[in-house]
Amino acid sequence: MRMKTIDHQLVGQAFDPTSRITRLPSGEIHLWQWNSADVLAPREFNALARSKLIHLLQGYAGSDTTPMIETGEHGKPFVADSNYPHFNMSHSSDSVMFAFSRDHEVGVDIEKTSFRRRFSALELAERFFTAEEFARLAALDEPAQNVAFVQLWTCKEAVLKALGHGLSFGLDRLQFALDADASAHSLEAIAAEAGIPQDWQIHRFVPRHDLLGSLAWRGPAQRVRTYTLDSGA
């Protein structure tokens, strides 16, 4: 089976600071990062993040009308009106990432590199990842395990979010080939209903020094452009 190699072109790439929403043509995917300038309660943070999403959707649609955001069977948000692009979002701590595409359903996931959870990275990998992925992670020392686990998690979750299923699909139903340091290298297997590995495009990126992210879509290669949404936008 020919494996789909991950494009690393976004790793370390700066997110351009702007509030100006450019045209979103066919063949491009736009990633926007927004960082909250204040420490907010979860409900207030989520409401503000949603307002940023609406602002971006209105900009791409060229409309002041508030879009009607619906949710699919498995909870993925969408706008049925074709004037608006496909989109997805993810947040971690005080940062939110938004992804937009005219052509394809997209999935994006960001996670903090510091690992403070009830279970260790290795325990979670044994529970949720494939046996092969777990074995590769188990061969690393603990600090390396944590980073490799977070990176692999974002790759998997981005694919599942693009599918519209989220974690309910099963993280063990797709497998990535891993480098010697357990960095996700290529998608090598996925459940039949999600297509074949060659169908999938996956971009890893580093939105901030303490975050790792992945973007995924099913279809041909696209140009990915990256922006930071000004705090006042």
Side-chain angles (χ1 to χ4, degrees), residues 199-213:
D199 289 343
W200 286 92
Q201 305 287 338
I202 301 163
H203 288 253
R204 286 174 14 203
F205 58 94
V206 181
R208 208 170 65 187
H209 70 91
D210 60 340
L211 296 171
L212 292 175

Side-chain angles (χ1 to χ4, degrees), residues 207-225:
R208 208 170 65 187
H209 70 91
D210 60 340
L211 296 171
L212 292 175
S214 294
L215 167 71
W217 69 95
R218 186 176 176 182
Q222 306 278 289
R223 179 186 181 189
V224 180
R225 302 182 66 180

Side-chain angles (χ1 to χ4, degrees), residues 6-11 13-16 22-33 60 97-104 106-108 201-206 213-217 219-227:
I6 292 174
D7 189 332
H8 294 161
Q9 70 180 23
L10 295 185
V11 176
Q13 179 175 332
F15 278 62
D16 298 329
T22 63
R23 187 175 67 90
L24 176 59
S26 178
E28 287 190 0
I29 294 176
H30 291 184
L31 275 177
W32 288 82
Q33 183 184 12
Y60 284 123
M97 190 66 58
F98 306 95
F100 301 91
S101 171
R102 289 289 179 193
D103 306 313
H104 305 285
V106 290
V108 66
Q201 305 287 338
I202 301 163
H203 288 253
R204 286 174 14 203
F205 58 94
V206 181
S214 294
L215 167 71
W217 69 95
Q222 306 278 289
R223 179 186 181 189
V224 180
R225 302 182 66 180
T226 57
Y227 307 95

Side-chain angles (χ1 to χ4, degrees), residues 45 90-97 110-112 208 211:
F45 178 84
S90 176
H91 71 85
S92 182
S93 185
D94 60 347
S95 185
V96 183
M97 190 66 58
I110 57 171
E111 301 287 344
K112 288 185 69 69
R208 208 170 65 187
L211 296 171

Side-chain angles (χ1 to χ4, degrees), residues 83-224:
N83 287 324
Y84 297 90
H86 302 288
F87 68 93
N88 196 228
M89 61 186 291
S90 176
H91 71 85
S92 182
S93 185
D94 60 347
S95 185
V96 183
M97 190 66 58
F98 306 95
F100 301 91
S101 171
R102 289 289 179 193
D103 306 313
H104 305 285
E105 292 288 349
V106 290
V108 66
D109 188 54
I110 57 171
E111 301 287 344
K112 288 185 69 69
T113 52
S114 58
F115 200 87
R116 297 179 181 176
R117 292 177 173 83
R118 180 180 177 184
F119 300 101
S120 71
L122 202 57
E123 288 172 322
L124 291 171
E126 185 175 26
R127 180 178 178 184
F128 293 109
F129 291 173
T130 69
E132 292 85 350
E133 292 165 339
F134 167 74
R136 296 299 297 274
L137 288 170
L140 303 175
D141 59 28
E142 186 174 352
Q145 282 176 1
N146 291 341
V147 174
F149 172 85
V150 170
Q151 181 194 85
L152 182 54
W153 183 284
T154 66
C155 288
K156 285 173 172 275
E157 188 163 356
V159 171
L160 300 190
K161 291 175 75 174
L163 279 171
H165 284 267
L167 298 179
S168 63
F169 184 82
L171 292 168
D172 60 342
R173 301 185 71 205
L174 63 162
Q175 179 169 301
F176 284 82
L178 305 178
D179 291 334
D181 63 354
S183 295
H185 176 263
S186 57
L187 180 62
E188 64 178 358
I190 193 166
E193 63 263 42
I196 57 177
Q198 297 95 309
D199 289 343
W200 286 92
Q201 305 287 338
I202 301 163
H203 288 253
R204 286 174 14 203
F205 58 94
V206 181
R208 208 170 65 187
H209 70 91
D210 60 340
L211 296 171
L212 292 175
S214 294
L215 167 71
W217 69 95
R218 186 176 176 182
Q222 306 278 289
R223 179 186 181 189
V224 180

Side-chain angles (χ1 to χ4, degrees), residues 66-82:
T66 300
M68 181 177 294
I69 299 176
E70 305 176 62
T71 54
E73 179 181 358
H74 301 284
K76 184 178 182 181
F78 69 96
V79 177
D81 188 335
S82 61

